[in-house]
Structures are given as C-alpha cells and as structure tokens.
Amino acid sequence: MNIAIIFAGGIGKRMNTKALPKQFLKLHGKEIIIHTLEVFENHPDINGIVISCVEEWIPYLKKLIKKFDINKVDAIVSGGTTGQESIYKGLIATKKQYSEETIVLIHDGVRPLIDEGTITDNIQIVKAKGNAVTVAPAIETIIRVNNNSEIKDVIERSECLMARAPQSFYLKEILKAHESAREENKNDFIDSASLMRHYGHSLYTVSGPVENIKITTPMDYYTFRALYEARESSQLFGI
C-alpha cells in the first residue's frame, strides 16, 4: 500500500492573508490544497490519502473534497502546533487503517506542482532502498557564516541539493523515529529527512521538478500562478 500524508496545518502568517490559511487560497477557482490533492488522487499507485489540517478549517476542507470529487481521502485529522506534530498525527491515523509495511509519502499541502513521475520515483526508491527524499538542484551560491555574519565558507554548488517533498518512508520506520523524538522532547526538526537522519537512517534522493515549490509567501503564489498557467498552455498547444 502507498499512502499520501498531506499536512496542511499552517495558518499562512507570511502570506498576509489574515484569517485565510495559505492552503485555501484559490487559483482559477480551485484552492491550492485541492490542486495538490488531485495529483495524488489521480496517481494509479496511491491507495489512500490522509490529511492533517488546521482544526477549524476541517469542515470547509470536507466540503471541498466532496465538491472536487476527491475519493481517496481515508482520514482528516487536526494539525498540530508544528509541522512535525501535524505529520505525527497523520502517521497515527494511517497506522489505524494500514499495516506498518505501508509506504507513506509525506507531502506539503502547499506544494501543488508535484508531478506524477516524482510520486512514482518515490515509491520505487523506497522499495529499492528503504526511503526517498525528493530534491532539486541548488541554483544559488550557498555560504556558511558565523554569529557575526562573517562568511566562513563558500560551498560548491554542485555538492548541494535542496530538500523538497514528497519525503517517503516505510510507516514503521518513520513512526518509530517520531515516537523517539517525542520521548526525548525533540520537536524542532525542520522536516522528516532531518528527523530520520538524526536517528541514524541513511537517506536516498529522488530528483524532482525544479518548479515543485512550497507556497509560503505572496511571491511564491505568483510564481505558482505563472508556472501553472505555463503548464496549462503547453498542454493546450502540445508544446
């Protein structure tokens, strides 16, 4: 079984959207979270979807799922105070319905430009190597600084990749890492890859599309709109 865990617990403070969480912003009459869910809904190898969502927005999300005919959603749970906690809640909900040998693809609700090929590659690499972390090449120079903002090192760009999503694991392994972190009161891991690395797992990469951005700022939203419309045009004209 291959289950997508979509976490959408953020409230969009950097978007300046006031009460509207960023995952519910619309593009062409469809919310960002729906754009994301549709990619997993339409993938033939995804058996189910679990969503961790801002609690007060769950009723609205359920209406959207019905409106846009998203049929693979098995559970919607309230999100946590951090992304790490939101993912954990999604993992617990998954465990209630699926075996520990299930492959889980952990993905941001606000990364709608994920594509079918990257999902397929994640599943295949987990089966071959035990896990998969989607990455994209670093396109800017990376520097290391000290506490005084003095540049200490300029890192070779060819040695750097940007970690993105999905980040995919066997359910039993990622859940065990989360439970270890909770026992040790470690709740500040930036993503699942950092968590798994901390607990001794070797991690393996999957190359994903450069446009698979996370929408957290107004500029990200406008970039998403431009990329989405470019995709639509290329399909329309057969480019």
Side-chain angles (χ1 to χ4, degrees), residues 34-51:
I34 296 299
H35 284 283
T36 303
L37 289 172
E38 284 183 338
V39 183
F40 291 91
E41 171 75 19
N42 294 329
H43 196 289
D45 295 331
I46 295 297
N47 303 106
I49 301 170
V50 172
I51 307 170

Side-chain angles (χ1 to χ4, degrees), residues 30-119:
K30 188 181 296 183
E31 285 75 4
I32 290 173
I33 183 69
I34 296 299
H35 284 283
T36 303
L37 289 172
E38 284 183 338
V39 183
F40 291 91
E41 171 75 19
N42 294 329
H43 196 289
D45 295 331
I46 295 297
N47 303 106
I49 301 170
V50 172
I51 307 170
S52 183
C53 179
V54 182
E55 185 171 8
E56 56 266 37
W57 285 82
I58 289 177
Y60 181 63
L61 177 59
K62 288 180 177 178
K63 291 179 182 179
L64 293 178
I65 287 170
K66 183 177 181 180
K67 175 182 177 181
F68 290 101
D69 200 26
I70 307 295
N71 297 309
K72 290 184 180 179
V73 175
D74 295 316
I76 303 174
V77 298
S78 61
T81 56
T82 65
Q84 183 177 328
E85 186 180 5
S86 294
I87 292 169
Y88 177 72
K89 288 186 173 185
L91 291 169
I92 292 297
T94 303
K95 184 182 178 182
K96 291 179 180 178
Q97 301 187 54
Y98 296 97
S99 79
E100 291 187 334
E101 299 302 320
T102 296
I103 293 173
V104 292
L105 294 85
I106 300 170
H107 192 73
D108 302 282
V110 288
R111 284 192 193 272
L113 291 170
I114 185 61
D115 60 13
E116 180 178 314
T118 304
I119 294 171

Side-chain angles (χ1 to χ4, degrees), residues 17-223:
T17 56
K18 297 184 180 178
L20 183 67
K22 56 196 174 183
Q23 55 269 31
F24 293 110
L25 293 173
K26 289 185 180 181
L27 178 67
H28 296 310
K30 188 181 296 183
E31 285 75 4
I32 290 173
I33 183 69
I34 296 299
H35 284 283
T36 303
L37 289 172
E38 284 183 338
V39 183
F40 291 91
E41 171 75 19
N42 294 329
H43 196 289
D45 295 331
I46 295 297
N47 303 106
I49 301 170
V50 172
I51 307 170
S52 183
C53 179
V54 182
E55 185 171 8
E56 56 266 37
W57 285 82
I58 289 177
Y60 181 63
L61 177 59
K62 288 180 177 178
K63 291 179 182 179
L64 293 178
I65 287 170
K66 183 177 181 180
K67 175 182 177 181
F68 290 101
D69 200 26
I70 307 295
N71 297 309
K72 290 184 180 179
V73 175
D74 295 316
I76 303 174
V77 298
S78 61
T81 56
T82 65
Q84 183 177 328
E85 186 180 5
S86 294
I87 292 169
Y88 177 72
K89 288 186 173 185
L91 291 169
I92 292 297
T94 303
K95 184 182 178 182
K96 291 179 180 178
Q97 301 187 54
Y98 296 97
S99 79
E100 291 187 334
E101 299 302 320
T102 296
I103 293 173
V104 292
L105 294 85
I106 300 170
H107 192 73
D108 302 282
V110 288
R111 284 192 193 272
L113 291 170
I114 185 61
D115 60 13
E116 180 178 314
T118 304
I119 294 171
T120 299
D121 290 345
N122 267 259
I123 294 169
Q124 291 178 345
I125 293 298
V126 173
K127 290 179 178 178
K129 298 183 177 181
N131 57 65
V133 177
T134 304
V135 297
I139 58 175
E140 302 280 1
T141 299
I142 308 296
I143 61 173
R144 182 181 290 114
V145 299
N146 62 17
N147 292 334
N148 294 321
S149 298
E150 177 187 1
I151 295 175
K152 303 301 293 183
D153 193 14
V154 179
I155 303 171
E156 182 62 38
R157 189 187 307 171
S158 62
E159 298 176 358
C160 298
L161 296 169
M162 296 184 291
R164 291 190 168 171
Q167 297 184 0
S168 307
F169 312 90
Y170 283 108
L171 176 58
K172 63 181 178 181
E173 295 184 355
I174 183 65
L175 190 54
K176 181 179 178 181
H178 269 272
E179 289 172 344
S180 295
R182 291 173 70 84
E183 289 173 3
E184 298 172 16
N185 199 30
K186 295 181 182 294
N187 55 14
D188 58 350
F189 290 101
I190 195 167
D191 62 3
S192 298
S194 301
L195 173 69
M196 292 292 276
R197 183 68 176 169
H198 177 81
Y199 288 105
H201 291 267
S202 296
L203 303 178
Y204 301 93
T205 62
V206 169
S207 295
V210 174
E211 64 267 25
N212 180 26
I213 61 172
K214 183 178 180 181
I215 301 172
T216 56
T217 68
M219 182 175 292
D220 295 331
Y221 174 81
Y222 294 126
T223 301

